[in-house]
């Protein structure tokens, strides 16, 4: 394989490893449904805020109403709004390749308002978390969205935390580790090539090698030296890139929670 092709394969392999390591859990925000027309605008604003709250930490890939329209079409998306989150789970999960759905309702009775949210696991249409609050002042809705949105995010993380948080932090380490391995291989190749070059020169000087044989071996050694330099350079670049990536990552706020999972408890969080 030509040297340039080998270098390209190394770079593409490192890129593929890095891309895989940065995958995040996909969460669909189905929207907050208003129980009466007077609450429609407030519910729409709350939905937008919920998307923002779930996206804030960067640990989740949040998909909203526009993503549903793109994947399913406007007419089908409107039809889905008429069914329950659990009832539409299979179609939504398949269309957006998502594992989780967050949805809720906003209703009122007299002077009181009620916000309820839930998290649905799309593979089996099971609501793994529910919570809600009653309030009077519509302005209280927004701090409630912040509080319940964080709780919903934490409900997703126990089942996804090993993939979501460990892969996020693994990306730079994978890149740096691959860089060290490739760079070390290049350095070893250079050392062996220079050692062989010294032996060839000594053999030509002492007459144990003919000048023609010495020239043939020197040409092969030069190719190995070039390959070693390229490998060391690619490894060094990967190491530096991984270090920059790691330094640029936002710090992870330690969190932990316990969530019921069937007949047992799941413990998870970000550490």
């Amino acid at each position: 394989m030509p040297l340039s092709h080998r270098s390209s394969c190394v770079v593409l392999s490192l890129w593929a490893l890095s891309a895989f390591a940065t995958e995040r859990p996909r969460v669909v925000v189905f929207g907050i449904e208003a129980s009466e027309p007077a609450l429609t605008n407030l519910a729409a604003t709350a939905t937008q805020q919920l998307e923002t709250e779930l996206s804030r930490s960067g640990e989740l890939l949040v998909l909203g109403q526009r993503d549903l329209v793109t994947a399913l079409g406007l007419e089908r998306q409107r039809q889905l709004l008429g069914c329950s989150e659990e009832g539409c789970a299979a179609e939504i999960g398949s269309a957006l390749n998502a594992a989780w759905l967050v949805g809720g309702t906003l209703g009122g009775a007299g002077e009181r308002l009620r916000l309820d949210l839930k998290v649905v696991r799309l593979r089996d249409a099971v609501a793994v978390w529910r919570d809600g609050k009653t309030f009077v002042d519509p302005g209280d809705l927004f701090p409630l969205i912040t509080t319940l949105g964080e709780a919903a995010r934490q409900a997703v993380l126990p089942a996804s935390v090993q993939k979501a948080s460990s892969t996020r932090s693994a990306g730079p380490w994978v890149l740096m580790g691959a860089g060290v391995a490739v760079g070390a291989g290049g350095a070893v190749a250079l050392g062996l090539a220079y050692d062989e070059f010294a032996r060839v020169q000594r053999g030509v000087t002492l007459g144990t090698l003919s000048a023609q044989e010495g020239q043939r071996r020197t040409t092969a050694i030069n190719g190995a030296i070039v390959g070693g330099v390229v490998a060391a350079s690619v490894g060094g670049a990967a190491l530096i890139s991984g270090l920059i990536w790691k330094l640029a990552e936002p710090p992870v706020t330690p969190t932990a929670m316990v969530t019921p999972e069937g007949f047992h408890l799941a413990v998870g969080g970000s550490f």
Side-chain angles (χ1 to χ4, degrees):
M1 182 185 292
L3 184 60
S4 60
H5 289 178
R6 286 199 298 267
S7 303
S8 298
C9 288
V10 170
V11 173
L12 289 174
S13 298
L14 294 177
W15 175 84
L17 285 172
S18 303
F20 175 78
T22 57
E23 184 181 355
R24 297 172 291 169
R26 299 167 71 92
V27 179
V28 178
V29 176
F30 199 65
I32 297 175
E33 182 181 359
S35 64
E36 55 187 79
L39 297 175
T40 300
N41 290 337
L42 190 59
T45 302
T47 297
Q48 293 177 356
Q49 183 188 351
L50 179 60
E51 293 179 11
T52 301
E53 297 296 340
L54 292 172
S55 303
R56 191 180 303 280
S57 70
E59 293 173 301
L60 306 176
L61 179 58
V62 178
L63 307 170
Q65 297 292 318
R66 291 182 179 179
D67 300 292
L68 276 174
V69 172
T70 300
L72 301 173
L74 181 59
E75 184 59 32
R76 182 56 184 148
Q77 190 260 353
R78 286 174 176 169
Q79 294 172 2
L80 287 179
L81 291 178
C83 72
S84 67
E85 290 89 338
E86 292 91 337
C88 300
E91 184 170 357
I92 294 172
S94 175
L96 295 175
N97 191 28
W100 303 94
L101 182 148
V102 178
T105 59
L106 178 64
E111 296 181 352
R112 292 183 176 274
L113 296 171
R114 173 76 183 184
L115 172 68
D116 288 280
L117 294 182
K118 61 183 172 181
V119 174
V120 177
R121 187 171 54 213
L122 291 176
R123 73 168 184 266
D124 52 9
V126 171
V128 299
W129 172 89
R130 297 174 185 267
D131 200 358
K133 301 291 181 183
T134 301
F135 57 101
V136 176
D137 187 350
D140 291 337
L141 174 64
F142 305 113
L144 280 180
I145 289 290
T146 299
T147 301
L148 293 180
E150 174 61 18
R153 185 182 71 85
Q154 291 296 330
V156 171
L157 287 177
S160 305
V161 65
Q162 291 184 345
K163 183 177 180 181
S165 61
S166 67
T167 56
R168 186 183 68 164
S169 60
W173 295 110
V174 169
L175 192 57
M176 287 189 284
V180 169
V182 173
V188 170
L190 281 173
L192 293 175
Y194 282 120
D195 186 58
E196 179 65 16
F197 179 76
R199 283 199 296 269
V200 169
Q201 293 299 309
R202 186 164 55 252
V204 172
T205 301
L206 296 176
T208 57
L209 284 178
S210 65
Q212 184 177 4
E213 179 63 15
Q215 181 62 38
R216 186 185 68 79
R217 293 191 182 184
T218 298
T219 300
I221 291 170
N222 286 338
I225 290 175
V226 172
V229 169
V230 171
S233 300
V234 171
L239 177 60
I240 293 173
S241 298
L243 181 60
I244 294 173
W245 182 1
K246 183 63 180 177
L247 293 175
E249 275 191 336
V252 176
T253 302
T255 58
M257 70 175 297
V258 178
T259 301
E261 287 279 340
F263 295 100
H264 63 278
L265 297 176
V267 180
S270 303
F271 309 96

